[in-house]
């Protein structure tokens, strides 16, 4: 039986965190998580798979007095910077694992950045109670790329993303839906507030802040995080991150150069049976990963696997797709906790 708290429970990721915990009753037990949020949401009653649960106002001393086994943070980076480390210790001297979905600690050398199927052991190696959950784009690609890297040693990656509105949370999804509805009803689309341009019937090649090198932070996250999770500095990554009008699954077109010879068939063999990954690759029959099929699914789908026309036998191109709120956020975090609980 684990005692769990979800902070930021009313957002899109928070809601999925509660569902993912409930889907693992045999690991965490039947006791419902405590749900925390800002004063604005405190007192609201949320419909959850555990039944109706009342949102509690976040107060760090309250959490530190409760000795949770796991606290999931689905909050802003600033909130995490202030609270994540203090939350790892309790008033009675016990420790709590804090799994943070923000980018606040992802690049700290003493904080593990974890995709549990890849580098779960880095938690013990770094002896850290604070664990960073990767950015959605990285986590989804990493599921397909790590087995390939282990067998063929990836040298270079060119990644082009097709990212869903859910990456901007519930308000992003709502802005997309409202804009689509208005258009279909022949009305003027409401003004875009979450995205820099209207998202319906559009694509926006700019996610997160622009960096000095001309790339966006979202694009650099793919490089920084892939290298940290794979524990190598030797992979060169160049990414273009684009927001598209899908709701909750991210897709990514990936070109890679490998050190060893590689072929589409070898990639299919390599990914066969890997946990959390499915190969869907029969393009002649329209079988390939698409965001609608991947929405609400735990697995990352991989398809359109083909020999590179640039790197020849030393490269392949492929397409991956995964649910942004699940593998890209809540599911990854809950799988980390699940493995820790099973230990
Ligand atoms: C996005 N990567 O899709 C972000 C969310 N973590 O905007």
């Amino acid at each position: 039986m684990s005692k769990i708290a979800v902070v930021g429970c009313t957002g899109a990721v928070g809601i999925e965190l509660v569902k993912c915990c409930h889907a693992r009753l045999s690991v965490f037990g039947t006791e419902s998580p405590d749900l925390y949020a800002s004063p604005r949401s405190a007192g609201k009653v949320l419909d959850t798979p555990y039944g109706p649960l009342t949102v509690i106002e976040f107060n760090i001393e309250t959490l530190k007095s409760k000795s949770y086994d796991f606290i999931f943070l689905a909050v802003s980076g600033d909130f995490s910077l202030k609270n994540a480390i203090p939350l790892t210790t309790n008033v009675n001297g016990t420790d709590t694992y804090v799994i943070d979905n923000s980018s606040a600690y992802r690049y700290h050398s003493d904080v593990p950045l974890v995709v549990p199927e890849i580098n779960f052991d880095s938690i013990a190696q770094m002896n850290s109670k604070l664990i960073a959950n990767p950015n959605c784009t990285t986590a989804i690609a990493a599921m397909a790329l790590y087995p390939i890297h282990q067998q063929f040693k990836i040298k270079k990656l060119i990644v082009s993303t097709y990212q869903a509105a859910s990456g901007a949370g519930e308000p992003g999804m709502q802005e997309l839906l409202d804009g689509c509805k208005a258009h279909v009803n022949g009305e003027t689309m409401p003004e875009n507030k979450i995205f820099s341009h209207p998202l319906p019937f559009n694509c926006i090649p700019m996610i997160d802040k622009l960096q000095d090198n001309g790339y966006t932070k979202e694009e650099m996250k793919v490089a920084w995080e892939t290298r940290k999770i794979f524990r190598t500095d030797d992979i060169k990554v160049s990414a273009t991150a684009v927001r598209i009008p899908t709701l909750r699954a991210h897709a990514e077109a990936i070109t890679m150069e490998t050190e060893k010879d590689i072929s589409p068939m070898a990639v299919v063999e390599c990914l066969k049976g890997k946990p959390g990954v499915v190969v869907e690759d029969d393009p002649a029959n329209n079988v390939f990963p698409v965001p609608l099929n991947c929405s609400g699914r735990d697995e990352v789908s991989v398809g359109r696997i083909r020999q590179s026309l640039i790197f020849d036998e030393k490269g392949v191109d492929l397409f991956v797709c995964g649910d942004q709120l699940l593998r890209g956020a809540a599911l990854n975090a809950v799988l980390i906790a699940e493995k820790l609980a099973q230990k």
Side-chain angles (χ1 to χ4, degrees):
M1 182 74 90
S2 303
K3 274 184 79 178
I4 298 175
V6 176
V7 182
C9 61
T10 55
V13 174
I15 288 165
E16 293 300 328
L17 280 165
V18 178
K19 287 187 193 163
C20 288
C21 288
H22 186 266
R24 288 161 181 78
L25 289 183
S26 61
V27 179
F28 298 126
T30 50
E31 194 183 315
S32 58
D34 287 344
L35 306 187
Y36 293 92
S38 64
R40 199 162 29 98
S41 300
K44 270 189 192 163
V45 178
L46 300 185
D47 269 333
T48 80
Y50 295 90
L53 294 178
T54 304
V55 178
I56 309 163
E57 180 176 340
F58 176 82
N59 173 298
I60 190 155
E61 299 312 326
T62 309
L63 275 91
K64 284 168 77 66
S65 70
K66 297 237 175 174
S67 301
Y68 289 108
D69 297 297
F70 302 105
I71 297 177
F72 295 106
L73 297 181
V75 291
S76 70
D78 286 343
F79 185 100
S80 290
L81 277 178
K82 188 166 167 216
N83 296 292
I85 291 177
L87 284 170
T88 58
T89 52
N90 298 306
V91 283
N92 64 1
T94 58
D95 289 332
T96 292
Y97 282 110
V98 174
I99 304 172
D100 179 23
N101 201 58
S102 83
S103 62
Y105 286 98
R106 285 183 193 149
Y107 316 119
H108 284 226
S109 55
D110 50 355
V111 177
L113 175 67
V114 177
V115 173
E117 291 85 347
I118 299 175
N119 63 336
F120 178 74
D121 56 342
S122 63
I123 299 172
Q125 275 163 15
M126 293 190 190
N127 192 22
S128 176
K129 293 287 168 184
L130 173 59
I131 299 155
N133 209 38
N135 188 39
C136 42
T137 318
T138 311
I140 289 165
M143 290 299 293
L145 293 178
Y146 190 66
I148 299 174
H149 177 60
Q150 280 183 302
Q151 193 170 334
F152 303 99
K153 200 153 191 316
I154 294 173
K155 287 165 66 179
K156 290 181 189 152
L157 290 171
I158 301 167
V159 180
S160 305
T161 75
Y162 306 78
Q163 296 185 219
S166 58
E170 181 57 35
M173 296 164 87
Q174 201 54 54
E175 185 166 301
L176 173 61
L177 288 171
D178 291 345
C180 291
K181 271 185 218 149
H183 181 84
V184 167
N185 293 333
E187 296 159 6
T188 311
M189 272 195 233
E191 195 197 335
N192 50 296
K193 296 202 170 89
I194 303 297
F195 301 110
S196 59
H197 290 261
L199 188 57
F201 316 104
N202 211 356
C203 66
I204 306 171
M206 172 92 192
I207 302 178
D208 211 334
K209 294 193 183 72
L210 196 62
Q211 307 292 288
D212 288 344
N213 64 359
Y215 286 78
T216 63
K217 191 167 178 200
E218 184 75 5
E219 290 160 351
M220 292 315 300
K221 284 175 188 172
V222 184
W224 298 331
E225 297 182 20
T226 303
R227 290 197 279 257
K228 182 165 176 180
I229 294 164
F230 289 13
R231 292 180 273 216
T232 177
D233 289 329
D234 295 339
I235 301 180
K236 288 192 169 188
V237 183
S238 188
T240 303
V242 182
R243 184 80 64 201
I244 64 158
T246 50
L247 261 187
R248 61 172 284 170
H250 283 359
E252 304 175 47
I254 302 175
T255 294
M256 72 188 81
E257 184 189 17
T258 53
E259 198 171 288
K260 299 187 185 156
D261 283 5
I262 189 168
S263 69
M265 226 190 310
V267 171
V268 172
E269 277 304 307
C270 168
L271 294 179
K272 204 183 273 174
K274 293 290 182 297
V277 183
V278 287
V279 175
E280 294 178 301
D281 196 20
D282 182 9
N285 289 304
N286 289 325
V287 175
F288 35 70
V290 291
L292 276 184
N293 290 349
C294 292
S295 298
R297 244 168 89 176
D298 286 358
E299 294 82 15
V300 166
S301 171
V302 187
R304 296 297 322 281
I305 307 167
R306 56 217 192 270
Q307 198 78 52
S308 170
L309 298 179
I310 300 173
F311 302 116
D312 302 314
E313 73 284 355
K314 295 279 197 264
V316 288
D317 285 14
L318 48 78
F319 196 72
V320 300
C321 192
D323 188 299
Q324 188 271 331
L325 295 171
L326 291 176
R327 172 53 65 177
L331 175 71
N332 195 79
V334 170
L335 288 176
I336 294 169
E338 177 179 48
K339 278 197 157 207
L340 288 167
Q342 284 166 336
K343 275 177 85 185

